Amino acid sequence: MNKQLTIEQFVASLKSGMTIGIAGWGPRRKPMALVRAILRSDLTDLTIVAYGGPDVGMLCAAGKVKKVVFGFVSMDAIPLEPWFRKAREAGGLDILELDEGMLQWGLKAAAFRLPFLPTHVGLGTDVMTHGGFKTVQSPYADGEVLLAMPALKLDAALIHVQRADRLGNIQALGPDTYYDEWFARAADRTFVSAEEVVDRMDHSYPEDARFNIVERCFVHAVVEAPFGAHPTSMPPAYGWDMKQLKAYAASAREEAGWDAYAADIIGADEAGYLDRVGGKDAVAALPLPIF
Amino acid sequence: MTTAPEFTLCEQLIVAASEAWRANGELVATGIGPAPRLAAGLAKLTHTPELMMTDGEAYLVEDPVPLGPRGYDDRKAAGYLPFSRFFDAAVWSGKRHAMVTPSQIDRFGQTNISYLGGTYDQPKVQMLGARGFPGNSICHINSMFIPAHSKRVFVEGEVDMVSSVGYNPARRTPGVNFSRVDLRLIVTDLCVMDFGGKDKAVRVVMLHPGVTFDQVQDATGFALEAADEIKTTPAPTPEQLAIIARLDPHNIRAGVLKDNPAGKRS
């Protein structure tokens, strides 16, 4: 069994119109190398499900997105994601705005192969009104009326971690794993990019098995992508690149700003990308953010 | 209790806001933004030490983490509460009291951080999105901090998009359990309000020195009630000011209110 793909094979296995979940959280541990591969592809009409950061903004800027299902789209220190904002204010973008907790609940419903999971959350707000959610009544004595959060079934999930092996064992070493395991379980196929891919985790890093965030039966392919989270953070290895995130945000204020950013920074391949953002050593030295 | 001779209005508001968490017990105190965060830290270090607090990333800390630049490993972790446990262990379980700064608030305590103007499909100004507000508001205690009290924030009708649940009877879906909706304080640059009026109406309970009820009413888009006895917001003590200064060594609080006014209005 060998689940390793090249980044070209990864992007070739996606199709236009798919529903793709992107793991990570805002500007934290986003599978940006995989996102850049999509940016460089002909894929279009995607539905993106995410706790969004520059991943969602860039895909919107590049015209890849039909619909965004989101808990938020933010770059933290830059609270309003400028390209997502621009796309939404222009109209024409299909939107499902969720409470952050509802999103994980929808992924869990999909993971457990349930049509929905009940919750209080969303009731009494316009998230309910605009989202078109239905309610269910508890069959027990309480008779409570609850929102039925539909399963968020994904065609594909994208995740970035420190380490993977060819069998699909993965390790994420940072202090937080966000909701990545639920993206993986909610998806038909999960693509994991890793800073490093080894033959067998038990031969290389057996002492770190507790950093395995999801079982390998939920990992369908692994792609080696050093610094693949840049410009988002990859604790404990490197922090987010605020200089790059600011340059990207500034491109939203320029005429044809995205085309210029895509040509000058995203470019044609990952090796060139790392050179264009300052080189591997500079990315490796990015300090971790302090909150 | 001696009061400090010199203090800023922001420092006075931080002290007033810290009262929101008094006697809350063992739950997560979250202050979003510099002033609410300092207020939560002050509450923990003075009257309610059992409060829980995070470092803003993944760990629970017993010493509130100071604002601004510092060594990455300066915080001492006592527990663990990453995003991946937050809904399980704080929000949906009700073990949290958050203080937030919404863009709009209406007479029912419904708030908006999603968008302003236009429609859901094409908002005039896209803001943050509802984020965790629907869940926060129906699951745990909430308070608010408003640095510039105005009719743009305290709107006349309903907010543009109801992001958090308030006490609006028209939005009480039959059969739904809204019993956990629990709105406490609204601290603004003019006054302190609560939801102790008729049918949970917003009520002025404290006025900052030199501010009148009429002034507050004029800056509010809906009719306010007044507490039977409106108090004057107390001045910070030297001890409170020392704690605030220690938690904010770079004086980030100086940028919270426009022109950083003094606590005593001239």
Side-chain angles (χ1 to χ4, degrees):
Chain A
M1 192 161 65
N2 181 1
K3 295 178 180 173
Q4 188 167 9
L5 299 181
T6 65
I7 204 159
E8 292 79 14
Q9 288 170 321
F10 148 73
V11 80
S13 63
L14 299 179
K15 289 190 175 63
S16 291
M18 276 187 163
T19 296
I20 299 180
I22 305 180
W25 181 274
R28 296 170 173 86
R29 225 183 77 224
K30 283 285 176 180
M32 294 304 293
L34 301 183
V35 169
R36 283 188 288 273
I38 296 175
L39 292 173
R40 295 178 191 118
S41 75
D42 295 329
L43 291 166
T44 184
D45 286 325
L46 302 174
T47 293
I48 302 294
V49 180
Y51 294 104
D55 50 336
V56 172
M58 288 182 186
L59 291 166
C60 286
K64 300 292 187 192
V65 181
K66 183 181 71 181
K67 180 174 182 177
V68 185
V69 179
F70 64 104
F72 57 80
V73 182
S74 172
M75 298 195 288
D76 204 301
I78 304 170
L80 303 176
E81 215 296 340
W83 280 106
F84 171 69
R85 184 175 203 190
K86 222 171 155 154
R88 195 170 174 196
E89 289 176 4
L93 189 63
D94 201 358
I95 286 290
L96 182 59
E97 180 169 337
L98 300 173
D99 170 89
E100 294 167 8
M102 286 170 79
L103 198 159
Q104 55 108 19
W105 212 227
L107 295 175
K108 286 180 181 177
F112 301 145
R113 297 181 283 181
L114 292 167
F116 69 89
L117 278 169
T119 175
H120 297 110
V121 174
L123 292 163
T125 74
D126 279 331
V127 165
M128 174 83 188
T129 317
H130 295 307
F133 298 106
K134 311 277 191 215
T135 58
V136 286
Q137 187 174 12
S138 165
Y140 297 105
D142 56 83
E144 217 178 290
V145 171
L146 297 160
L147 186 151
M149 178 63 209
L152 293 171
K153 187 77 190 153
L154 308 174
D155 295 314
L158 315 183
I159 294 173
H160 186 70
V161 298
Q162 260 90 11
R163 300 163 181 164
D165 72 12
R166 294 179 208 276
L167 301 174
N169 295 297
I170 62 173
Q171 292 178 352
L173 304 182
D176 206 329
T177 55
Y178 316 113
Y179 288 85
D180 290 15
E181 64 181 294
W182 297 104
F183 280 93
R185 294 194 177 110
D188 286 338
R189 284 190 298 164
T190 297
F191 298 88
V192 179
S193 58
E195 299 280 313
E196 178 188 12
V197 175
V198 297
D199 283 331
R200 280 184 43 168
M201 207 68 100
D202 53 340
H203 293 172
S204 295
Y205 298 105
E207 69 284 2
D208 287 335
R210 70 194 173 91
F211 296 109
N212 173 227
I213 57 171
V214 66
E215 304 72 24
R216 68 172 159 75
C217 56
F218 298 102
V219 174
H220 304 83
V222 299
V223 176
E224 191 159 63
F227 305 102
H230 183 274
T232 69
S233 65
M234 186 62 182
Y238 50 91
W240 57 44
D241 190 339
M242 201 37 72
K243 198 177 133 205
Q244 269 304 321
L245 290 174
K246 280 183 178 162
Y248 157 68
S251 73
R253 295 190 291 273
E254 304 293 328
E255 186 76 27
W258 173 255
D259 291 342
Y261 188 83
D264 298 345
I265 304 293
I266 303 294
D269 60 39
E270 277 303 287
Y273 173 81
L274 282 172
D275 289 339
R276 286 186 288 278
V277 297
K280 291 182 177 187
D281 292 348
V283 175
L286 287 166
L288 294 169
I290 289 170
F291 301 97
Chain B
M1 203 164 70
T2 50
T3 56
E6 296 282 338
F7 54 88
T8 66
L9 179 58
C10 185
E11 288 164 339
Q12 190 170 19
L13 301 192
I14 290 165
V15 172
S18 77
E19 288 297 321
W21 286 281
R22 186 181 284 276
N24 274 187
E26 203 170 6
L27 50 65
V28 179
T30 306
I32 308 278
R37 183 167 146 187
L38 291 168
L42 181 64
K44 179 166 172 58
L45 292 176
T46 55
H47 50 74
T48 311
E50 65 273 28
L51 288 171
M52 294 155 67
M53 198 165 285
T54 78
D55 66 344
E57 193 176 12
Y59 296 101
L60 286 164
V61 292
E62 296 300 344
D63 292 324
V65 170
L67 266 60
R70 61 184 187 279
Y72 179 74
D73 290 321
D74 283 1
R75 53 125 164 75
K76 297 280 184 286
Y80 185 47
L81 187 59
F83 290 117
S84 54
R85 280 167 38 174
F86 217 80
F87 304 116
D88 305 358
V91 179
W92 289 24
S93 58
K95 294 288 184 191
R96 188 187 191 215
H97 178 173
M99 182 178 284
V100 295
T101 298
S103 305
Q104 293 182 324
I105 305 168
D106 63 28
R107 74 186 64 196
F108 307 110
Q110 300 178 132
T111 74
N112 176 25
I113 55 167
S114 292
Y115 66 83
L116 294 174
T119 63
Y120 179 74
D121 292 325
Q122 188 170 9
K124 189 147 175 279
V125 181
Q126 155 72 22
M127 297 188 298
L128 292 172
R131 295 220 60 159
F133 273 39
N136 297 352
S137 56
I138 204 163
C139 294
H140 65 62
I141 310 169
N142 287 277
S143 290
M144 301 167 211
F145 178 85
I146 303 297
H149 193 135
S150 77
K151 288 183 175 174
R152 290 177 59 186
V153 177
F154 294 97
V155 296
E156 191 180 345
E158 264 191 295
V159 295
D160 290 358
M161 171 159 169
V162 177
S163 308
S164 77
V165 179
Y167 298 115
N168 184 358
R171 287 183 183 259
R172 286 294 186 256
T173 313
V176 173
N177 179 0
F178 287 103
S179 67
R180 298 177 194 90
V181 179
D182 188 348
L183 302 178
R184 297 283 173 94
L185 293 188
I186 308 175
V187 177
T188 82
D189 59 334
L190 297 180
C191 65
V192 177
M193 301 184 284
D194 68 9
F195 290 84
K198 188 171 182 296
D199 299 327
K200 309 271 191 191
V202 178
R203 179 180 76 157
V204 176
V205 292
M206 280 186 192
L207 290 164
H208 305 330
V211 178
T212 66
F213 179 88
D214 288 346
Q215 230 178 310
V216 177
Q217 182 62 76
D218 286 347
T220 306
F222 51 86
L224 290 169
E225 294 194 18
D228 293 342
E229 184 201 354
I230 298 182
K231 294 178 177 158
T232 301
T233 313
T237 66
E239 293 75 19
Q240 289 167 329
L241 286 175
I243 292 170
I244 292 169
R246 183 157 58 79
L247 292 178
D248 182 21
H250 306 286
N251 200 20
I252 289 168
R253 64 193 179 282
V256 170
L257 301 183
K258 189 174 183 296
D259 302 328
N260 196 26
K264 293 199 170 75
R265 275 163 222 257
S266 49

